[in-house]
Amino acid sequence: METVLITGGAGFIGRFVADELLARGNKVRVLDSLIEQVHGDVERPPLLNDEVELIRGDVRNGDVVTKALAGVDSVIHLAAEVGVGQSMYEVERYTSTNDVGTAVLFEKLIDQPVRRVVTASSMSIYGEGLYRDADGALVQDAERKGLRDGLSNWEPVDTQGRPLAPVATPEWKQPNLASIYALNKYVQERTTHIMAAPYGIEGVCLRLFNVYGPGQALSNPYTGVLAIFASRLLNGQQPMIFEDGEQRRDFVHVSDVARAFADALVLPQAVGGTFNIGSGHDRSVTEVATELARAMGKNDITPEIVGKARIGDIRHCFCDTSLAQDKLGFAATQDFTQGLAELAEWVAQQTAVDKVATMRAELEKRGLVA
């Protein structure tokens, strides 16, 4: 049994991680600033396990971090501002919370070292995923240039203008940092690996793909895409899909992600590694929106295909899970259809303020929609 600190642990993923750690016999402490955009106006999130010790405070506050680390054996670092689109205009806020917050955590760990730190990274650091060209060669640096309205040029092409075929993205694929959020997550990764070993700490990073499940912040228009779709559907509105809706992603259930964090905290073979955590299955965004509408009993509401791109978005990126399978024994077990049914059942009991139109207006005002 260990005492584990989860930074940002009152959020969607953190609550599931806390439950998983408690079930394995650990004590759990959470440090979370409980920002209103995610949590609303609450003193303690109602879904946070009663057994969790909650310290409300900012990860950038060194005194608070010192207090939170007292008596702690290991850390799961989830604290971050999350959202590709918002990161492109709330640059200082994202960089301060994500990068400076991580720096403060590791600076305090110099004097209060722990056994292991597991940091949450993101598939966003890849930018475009891995592709294969018409000759069978793998392409790591695919780009889309000159995005404009219309469907003819959403797909990346090679230097000869030939279409590229997306394939599952492995950890060795070079980063292509297409947003401030992606840059932040990469800095969190590198800070973890640079700072851990010299101070006798074991460092691990998990690159999360699209995490979904009950308990997401439905009124936050910069959260996971399934939560955004669910909020729209709950309010009788069409899910809003940028581009043509054929972009492909990997959706992994939060319970599988929680298990991955708990395993990464203890498995010896995880030390020093960076691992993709996803389902290993890719789906189009339109397919996902349609299936969610069906699960929620909203078959009559079809997605709104915007036909425009958000700056910082990528076309295709889905998960090669082979390294996590080999080193961590990780394989996602949650069936997607069952996971959507569970999400739909939870959403039906919630209320949500639909802020998607406001989000789109903010992006368009700043020229971030092409």
Side-chain angles (χ1 to χ4, degrees):
M1 184 177 71
E2 288 194 338
T3 297
V4 184
L5 172 66
I6 309 176
T7 68
F12 165 53
I13 295 174
R15 295 192 301 265
F16 276 83
V17 173
D19 287 344
E20 181 70 23
L21 293 174
L22 288 168
R24 297 187 185 200
N26 299 284
K27 294 181 179 179
V28 177
R29 179 182 297 156
V30 158
L31 171 63
D32 202 299
S33 60
L34 299 180
I35 64 169
E36 187 172 352
Q37 178 174 307
V38 175
H39 297 280
D41 185 15
V42 298
E43 288 298 318
R44 183 183 178 96
L47 296 177
L48 184 64
N49 195 301
D50 290 339
E51 296 181 42
V52 170
E53 177 191 355
L54 173 63
I55 297 176
R56 184 168 185 174
D58 197 311
V59 73
R60 293 168 292 184
N61 185 320
D63 292 338
V64 170
V65 172
T66 295
K67 175 184 175 182
L69 285 172
V72 163
D73 301 297
S74 55
V75 175
I76 290 179
H77 181 39
L78 302 179
E81 297 282 0
V82 178
V84 168
Q86 192 176 42
S87 78
M88 296 296 289
Y89 62 90
E90 295 275 4
V91 180
E92 186 276 336
R93 171 184 161 193
Y94 272 67
T95 302
S96 178
T97 301
N98 298 350
D99 297 353
V100 176
T102 301
V104 171
L105 172 64
F106 275 94
E107 190 170 276
K108 296 307 175 182
L109 283 168
I110 294 173
D111 295 323
Q112 296 173 271
V114 295
R115 179 184 59 82
R116 186 176 298 189
V117 176
V118 181
T119 296
S121 184
S122 167
M123 50 82 73
S124 66
I125 71 129
Y126 293 119
E128 287 293 342
L130 189 65
Y131 288 80
R132 193 180 301 277
D133 68 18
D135 298 321
L138 293 174
V139 177
Q140 296 192 52
D141 57 352
E143 291 185 7
R144 300 189 292 171
K145 297 180 179 179
L147 282 175
R148 62 184 185 277
D149 293 354
L151 304 182
S152 61
N153 66 329
W154 297 131
E155 301 287 349
V157 295
D158 67 10
T159 55
Q160 301 176 53
R162 300 177 300 177
L164 297 171
V167 297
T169 300
E171 291 83 352
W172 52 258
K173 191 262 182 192
Q174 66 188 37
N176 186 358
L177 308 172
S179 68
I180 294 299
Y181 176 67
L183 175 62
N184 294 162
K185 298 309 287 185
Y186 192 58
V187 169
Q188 287 187 312
E189 262 191 34
R190 296 314 309 156
T191 300
T192 300
H193 288 308
I194 289 169
M195 289 294 296
Y199 292 100
I201 300 169
E202 300 168 347
V204 184
C205 294
L206 302 184
R207 289 176 181 165
L208 308 183
F209 280 67
N210 295 81
V211 186
Y212 77 99
Q216 289 181 273
L218 297 178
S219 298
N220 179 6
Y222 297 98
T223 187
V225 65
L226 271 174
I228 296 170
F229 289 168
S231 176
R232 295 283 286 176
L233 290 164
L234 185 63
N235 286 282
Q237 301 295 316
Q238 294 175 282
M240 184 187 298
I241 300 177
F242 286 88
E243 304 186 19
D244 62 353
E246 293 307 308
Q247 54 269 48
R248 303 190 74 80
R249 299 288 189 270
D250 183 310
F251 292 86
V252 58
H253 195 270
V254 64
S255 61
D256 286 319
V257 171
R259 181 164 46 85
F261 272 105
D263 288 344
L265 200 62
V266 296
L267 292 174
Q269 59 269 34
V271 176
T274 298
F275 304 94
N276 285 342
I277 301 298
S279 71
H281 299 282
D282 60 289
R283 295 173 169 84
S284 75
V285 176
T286 297
E287 174 190 348
V288 167
T290 302
E291 288 192 35
L292 179 60
R294 185 182 303 117
M296 291 178 62
K298 305 280 188 177
N299 298 35
D300 57 322
I301 303 179
T302 57
E304 174 194 356
I305 306 299
V306 173
K308 296 181 179 181
R310 290 182 299 185
I311 304 301
D313 274 357
I314 52 94
R315 183 60 176 174
H316 304 295
C317 190
F318 44 92
C319 185
D320 183 334
T321 61
S322 55
L323 183 64
Q325 174 89 49
D326 180 51
K327 295 293 186 181
L328 307 181
F330 174 80
T333 60
Q334 176 65 62
D335 175 78
F336 186 65
T337 301
Q338 292 178 350
L340 284 187
E342 177 193 30
L343 175 61
E345 182 179 357
W346 177 78
V347 169
Q349 303 168 34
Q350 310 303 311
T351 58
V353 179
D354 180 13
K355 299 179 181 178
V356 170
T358 302
M359 174 269 289
R360 180 176 175 181
E362 289 282 355
L363 295 176
E364 289 182 338
K365 181 173 67 175
R366 292 170 171 81
L368 296 174
V369 178

